[in-house]
Amino acid sequence: GDYAFADCSRLTGVTIPDSVKTIGEGAFCSTKLISVTIPDSVTSIGDSAFAGCDALTTVKIPNSVTELGYGIFDSCVALVDVSLGNKIPAITRSMFYDCFKLTKIVIPDSVKTIEDFAFCECYRLVDVQFGSNVESIGAWTFDKNIRLESISLSHKLVSIGEGAFAGCTGLTNVTIPES
């Protein structure tokens, strides 16, 4: 349920059984989880489900997940290893906001939209591999990603939001294919 284990400040591990279909809003926010393996039974992850888990280093979202809330991993400052399932339709608003140890992300081909603030203040992000179907990038999405040097955008891209790459002081090469 929503906020089921929120603020359990000593919770470092969890085994999510195959019977679980939804991880509720804020379910594990502000815990000390180190890694999370979400079972294939899960189809939905609620807003801020793991937000503020400052010890979380590894996350694997399975291919079964088709619905994502906002800010799921917001302020997971230790997060370095992320695997995204191939059925998620979007990188949601503030999904990885302030995950400043994250260095690489592979955006699956299922993603059409990268919403506002999705990777804002991911200071160490150097490698973003855009899926081939990304159509829009929201406002301030990659704001202050100072180590991002080069990006190749999807040929289906039609919209880049305000300040999407603002503060990317290391950015030297952008490839925008003909649409």
Side-chain angles (χ1 to χ4, degrees), residues 29-164:
C29 69
S30 300
T31 62
K32 295 294 181 188
L33 291 177
I34 295 167
S35 70
V36 174
T37 299
I38 298 167
D40 290 335
S41 59
V42 173
T43 59
S44 176
I45 302 173
D47 294 348
S48 304
F50 299 96
C53 291
D54 59 9
L56 186 63
T57 61
T58 306
V59 172
K60 182 181 186 296
I61 297 177
N63 294 335
S64 58
V65 174
T66 57
E67 294 179 43
L68 297 170
Y70 297 126
I72 295 171
F73 303 106
D74 184 346
S75 299
C76 290
V77 296
L79 190 61
V80 292
D81 187 19
V82 175
S83 175
L84 300 174
N86 63 15
K87 291 185 181 168
I88 62 170
I91 304 295
T92 56
R93 181 182 181 93
S94 301
M95 188 168 174
F96 296 102
Y97 191 106
D98 199 25
C99 292
F100 59 79
K101 287 192 177 177
L102 188 64
T103 60
K104 177 182 181 178
I105 192 78
V106 177
I107 298 169
D109 288 339
S110 59
V111 171
K112 292 186 176 184
T113 304
I114 303 173
E115 296 180 2
D116 299 351
F117 305 102
F119 297 98
C120 185
E121 297 185 14
C122 292
Y123 300 116
R124 294 184 185 171
L125 190 62
V126 294
D127 186 7
V128 178
Q129 296 175 23
F130 289 90
S132 61
N133 293 308
V134 174
E135 296 174 357
S136 71
I137 297 172
W140 310 102
T141 301
F142 294 94
D143 182 32
K144 298 186 183 110
N145 285 217
I146 58 174
R147 294 194 179 161
L148 192 59
E149 294 178 2
S150 178
I151 54 171
S152 293
L153 302 170
S154 164
H155 70 283
K156 293 187 178 179
L157 187 68
V158 293
S159 172
I160 298 176
E162 177 184 356

